[in-house]
Amino acid sequence: MNPTALIAEDEPLLAQALKAELAAAWPELQIVATAGDGRSAVREALRLLPQVLFFDIRMPGLDGLGAAAELADSWPTDEAPMPQLVFVTAYDEYAARAFEAEAIDYVLKPVQPGRLQKTVARLQQALAAQQPSSSASPAVANDEALERTLAQWRQVLTAAGTGAAVPATAPSAPLRMIAASDAGGSTVRMVPIDEVLYFEAADKYLRVLTATHEYLIRTPLKQLLTQLDADTFWQVHRAVVVRSAAIESVHRDEAGKLHLTLRGRAEKIPVSRLYAHLFRAM
């Protein structure tokens, strides 16, 4: 059976160009659908379960990063292996540098045949590696393949999410204080980072939660991550970063999804499948 792929690109001419170049570089690949935005890409991917995803990073509404993060949680791994993920991006110095450093698959716009050939070769190798070995049981082989793919997705999303946003000069020390507005927006307070239990992205704002208060800041989560101590604050979801020392317990629901409770907070915090490995020992 021929391998299958889905293209998510909001510019029809560029989507057609990528499709044509893929036909030349990988004639066996069947493009089962094209989508013009992230929401459509998620819907079509879950309907068709392709083996490869080509996602434009920047799309209207839900972007390629958000679409990939949603699929990581909702992909039916009992029906099909998680697909290989390739990001399509306009040339950007930081993004390209991040991708190259991690040997991550990406396609530049406009499509460059030489770069696409490298991506196709990697994809063919990755798909071949998904085939279970005769010595491993199907369950073990599937679990191992899923963990490998999730690790690759974490790597891709991290590089894509921070590569173009990292400033030329990164902060020399972790953040100590945050200037944040109260819920009414009338007062700005200096919140010590040691009091923050978690951050949550919400619309245009980032919620800053302590044991007793909620504040708002406009700093994007991916930018804030570059200013936080990675050992102190863990990303557990695309939209949530928690203080690791505040984690009180980890719960698994009937669907197998993980939720955290933090000391000083009553709400349960969802853990994305991409970050479930952080709590495997628990």
Side-chain angles (χ1 to χ4, degrees):
M1 184 178 295
N2 288 342
T4 57
L6 180 148
I7 295 174
E9 166 61 64
D10 64 319
E11 299 181 54
L13 291 179
L14 291 176
Q16 190 60 37
L18 176 56
K19 188 174 181 180
E21 291 291 349
L22 282 169
W26 195 356
E28 298 80 14
L29 184 68
Q30 180 185 358
I31 307 299
V32 293
T34 58
D37 61 84
R39 290 291 174 200
S40 299
V42 170
R43 183 174 61 252
E44 289 298 285
L46 292 175
R47 182 176 70 88
L48 298 168
L49 303 181
Q51 294 169 280
V52 183
L53 303 174
F54 292 91
F55 276 10
D56 187 6
I57 291 181
R58 293 186 175 90
M59 290 187 288
L62 186 68
D63 63 14
L65 299 178
E70 283 199 12
L71 283 174
D73 273 343
S74 54
W75 192 266
T77 55
D78 56 337
E79 297 181 33
M82 283 191 66
Q84 300 299 310
L85 177 61
V86 180
F87 277 125
V88 182
T89 178
Y91 182 79
D92 179 282
E93 178 185 357
Y94 294 112
R97 186 186 306 166
F99 288 143
E100 289 289 0
E102 302 294 343
I104 287 170
D105 290 319
Y106 68 99
V107 175
L108 291 175
K109 297 190 292 186
V111 180
Q112 301 178 0
R115 185 67 190 79
L116 185 61
Q117 285 283 2
K118 292 181 180 180
T119 294
V120 166
R122 288 176 181 169
L123 290 172
Q124 291 172 334
Q125 184 177 13
L127 292 178
Q130 284 184 339
Q131 302 301 318
S133 63
S134 57
S135 59
S137 69
V140 171
N142 289 340
D143 288 346
E144 291 177 349
L146 177 60
E147 287 305 314
R148 283 197 305 269
T149 305
L150 286 173
Q152 291 168 352
W153 278 48
R154 282 193 298 272
Q155 189 181 38
V156 169
L157 289 172
T158 299
T162 62
V166 174
T169 56
S172 58
L175 196 63
R176 299 301 178 193
M177 301 287 291
I178 295 176
S181 303
D182 59 19
S186 59
T187 305
V188 175
R189 301 185 183 277
M190 298 305 295
V191 183
I193 194 71
D194 291 341
E195 295 182 7
V196 178
L197 297 183
Y198 73 100
F199 299 92
E200 182 181 29
D203 297 326
K204 298 179 180 179
Y205 295 93
L206 190 65
R207 299 174 67 210
V208 182
L209 288 302
T210 69
T212 57
H213 292 86
E214 174 181 337
Y215 305 96
L216 299 174
I217 58 177
R218 286 185 174 272
T219 306
L221 185 59
K222 64 182 180 182
Q223 180 179 335
L224 181 69
L225 281 169
T226 67
Q227 304 175 61
L228 297 176
D229 183 342
D231 292 328
T232 302
F233 286 95
W234 295 357
Q235 185 165 16
V236 298
H237 188 277
R238 181 172 183 260
V240 180
V241 175
V242 304
R243 176 179 292 278
S244 58
I247 298 173
E248 183 174 60
S249 59
V250 184
H251 307 269
R252 186 185 300 276
D253 64 20
E254 294 180 354
K257 295 185 177 181
L258 300 182
H259 300 268
L260 305 178
T261 55
L262 303 180
R263 296 180 183 87
R265 301 294 308 187
E267 63 270 28
K268 292 184 178 181
I269 298 173
V271 177
S272 168
R273 182 186 277 167
L274 286 170
Y275 303 101
H277 69 289
L278 295 170
F279 307 100
R280 188 171 294 114
M282 296 182 180

